[in-house]
Amino acid sequence: MSGGLPRYRTHTCGELRAQHTSTTARLSGWVHRKRDHGGLLFIDLRDNYGLTQCVLKGSSPHLRTAEGLRLESVVTVTGTVVARAPEAVNPKLPTGEIELAVEGLEVLSIAEPLPIQVSGDAEYPEDARLRHRFLDLRREKLHRTILLRSHVIASIRRRMLGAGFTEFQTPILTSSSPEGARDYLVPSRVHPGKFYALPQAPQQFKQLLMVAGFDRYFQIAPCFRDEDGRADRSPGEFYQLDFEMSFVTQEEVFAAIGPVLHGVFEEFRPECVVTPPPFPRIPFDEAMLTYGSDKPDLRNPLAIRDVTAAFRDSGFAVFAAAIAGGAVVRGVRAPQGAAQPRSFFDKLGQWARAEGAAGLGYVALAEGGAKGPIAKFLDASHLGKLRAQTGATDGDAIFFVCERRPAADRLAGRVRNKLGEELGLIEKHAFRFCWVTDFPMYELNEETGKIEFSHNPFSMPQGGLEALESKDPLTIKAYQYDIVCNGVELSSGAIRNHRADIMYKVFAIAGYSRAEVEARFGGMLNAFKFGAPPHGGSAPGIDRIVMLIAGETNIREVIAFPMNQQAQDLLMQAPAPVPPERLKELHIKLDLPPE
RNA sequence: GGGCUCGUGGUGCAGCCUGGUUAGCACACUGGACUGUCAAUCCAGAGGUCGCGGGUUCGAAUCCCGUCGAGCCCGCCA
């Protein structure tokens, strides 16, 4: 190696340009690809920053060593930057105008044959990718996504600080919290039989920070929930942009976070339309009725309509009987659907039955009349009602779902999604945000018949103490809201209940005695007795934000080291057994299920 | 806990429906050829308990049963 140069590199692999021609450069990186012509060898050397073509000629004393290098070995090369002949320029590479004529070669680390290839865009099974995550992370797509995640988080942090929020850290070892999920527990060595819990969210801490007078809190907060994974839900742990504000109404929370989200999405996806703030508000009840979901995808132009009235006294006995039994009928207009072949309707009917529906009714409208299996049961006046209620005209089809609520809403929502996809109606290159507001404070557990919190028990009920004392609990709304983007629930938040007296009552309705409330939430309840500001906030999911921005549908694609659906870390082999003496120290005896 | 789908050399796939040659192809790997490639190319080679167990059959990657693992979904997740 020539002297006087830095030990490993003078430039990165993405840095050299035509202007560096004739200078001596030293690069270090991974052997991405080799092209061996016998007396001429090309090596594409890769690092975090890019790819540089290195060339060794027949005269080189290093040719033999270089030829034998397996892919992904790590080397340092030193040589002269050479301009490529015009016909040899590679326009696909930023460094494509030059190459490094290798004079010195040092092998830093030899790679064994690879279990998954780093170069190329082959797809690999997820367990292999997770087991060799360090290799997967070298691959272009995942490497880029993880860098994007870092940039998104940096942007969010900058925007939050700019909006006057203060960043805090809150405990990881804490006590069991009142969220709905199971806690991860950590045994205490010094307190036999007692456990810490990992926070499902820093909910109580951020509220305590408001009580402590810090006014505007945020944190890129790790959250731990012992629940099963989904494509959009990482088992175990995830991150939230957790924030909270004092002396605010719901509108002021919206006004604070809307521009942050809008700004981040526009910054990283400038080619896309992003809903400008203020985002539309959709009350929960309307969302369920019109979109069949509490997380409506507003890229889909279709709307669900209640058409129960058009069928109540119609000749279609199947629906009429169901309606008499308490069912409702929901209609979804399929624009230009009448032109679809019979197989389209049959396929959707099959799909609906697979979704658990009894079936999927439809009519195809043409020339003022209607076709389809149930059209003959509908006279002109019923058809007129249907047209008026759904906005359908000749050439359209209308699909019908007939079920009891809330199943009818959910199924109609899936029909809306399905039709949007099948008919190609989903808006492309768009991030459509909305607030879903006015969630019910309570809901009825169908199995136990008991009243339970439908969301966060710390939310302020609309109407306050008076509503709690006078109204049917199931009709009470909370100042509780979700941010939804493209049908993905990004966060849920609320104006909190900052009054101890209302809190006792809120919990009493859900069946918690005064003593229980004090035992479980004594810390926060106590804080509210010494002067608590009205406050509220929300907590958009960082992983889901990055997932949307990256255009991924699987949340593990935006996490550097995710666990699999069974909540196992295949790389670090967690969870793992521990030696008996560690268990003894923690006062734990195992009681394992039989094999 | 349940449903659906998948499981074939290191990796991605084909073969399975309709049982019967030496289980085929590509990438990677090993050896060889090759002086301008950029997914280099060409030749040769090595590498497989067809997830595991049982059954049917003269014969099973293929059919049947069970089991294990993975993914997606339901439950669950304010």
Side-chain angles (χ1 to χ4, degrees), chain A residues 6-70:
Chain A
R7 173 72 177 84
Y8 293 116
R9 60 186 177 195
T10 57
H11 300 78
T12 70
C13 293
E15 204 173 346
L16 294 172
R17 298 291 185 274
Q19 70 195 66
H20 297 99
T21 300
S22 303
T23 63
T24 296
R26 176 170 287 170
L27 304 177
S28 287
W30 287 263
V31 176
H32 187 67
R33 251 195 278 267
K34 288 188 304 180
R35 291 173 295 282
D36 190 351
H37 294 252
L40 178 71
L41 173 68
F42 296 102
I43 292 177
D44 289 339
L45 197 66
R46 186 198 71 241
D47 65 11
N48 182 59
Y49 308 96
L51 215 60
T52 299
Q53 173 165 286
C54 304
V55 61
L56 290 95
K57 300 205 169 159
S59 53
S60 169
H62 302 294
L63 185 66
R64 201 168 190 84
T65 313
E67 277 180 333
L69 283 173
R70 270 194 294 265

Side-chain angles (χ1 to χ4, degrees), chain A residues 252-283:
Chain A
E252 287 164 311
V253 174
F254 293 0
I257 200 66
V260 171
L261 291 173
H262 173 263
V264 169
F265 277 76
E266 276 220 316
E267 178 181 350
F268 292 98
R269 292 298 297 275
E271 80 285 9
C272 292
V273 178
V274 183
T275 309
F279 301 152
R281 325 288 155 78
I282 305 173

Side-chain angles (χ1 to χ4, degrees), chain A residues 415-462:
Chain A
V415 170
R416 173 178 177 269
N417 290 342
K418 184 78 175 171
L419 282 175
E421 283 165 28
E422 294 287 330
L423 298 173
L425 302 173
I426 309 294
E427 184 182 14
K428 304 260 198 308
H429 307 295
F431 293 104
R432 293 296 177 192
F433 282 90
C434 63
W435 290 101
V436 176
T437 61
D438 306 324
F439 277 82
M441 186 76 199
Y442 300 101
E443 63 189 18
L444 196 64
N445 183 318
E446 301 277 346
E447 279 176 30
T448 62
K450 284 185 183 160
I451 288 177
E452 297 181 345
F453 293 110
S454 91
H455 280 74
N456 188 324
F458 296 149
S459 299
M460 180 66 95
Q462 294 184 16

Side-chain angles (χ1 to χ4, degrees), chain A residues 310-363:
Chain A
F311 280 97
R312 180 169 283 118
D313 56 352
S314 76
F316 189 39
V318 177
F319 279 15
I323 292 166
V328 295
V329 184
R330 299 283 192 248
V332 185
R333 166 179 165 258
Q336 301 305 308
Q340 294 288 339
R342 174 61 188 262
S343 60
F344 175 80
F345 296 96
D346 290 346
K347 201 177 71 183
L348 279 171
Q350 267 178 23
W351 167 83
R353 278 186 289 278
E355 293 282 308
L360 189 61
Y362 68 90
V363 294

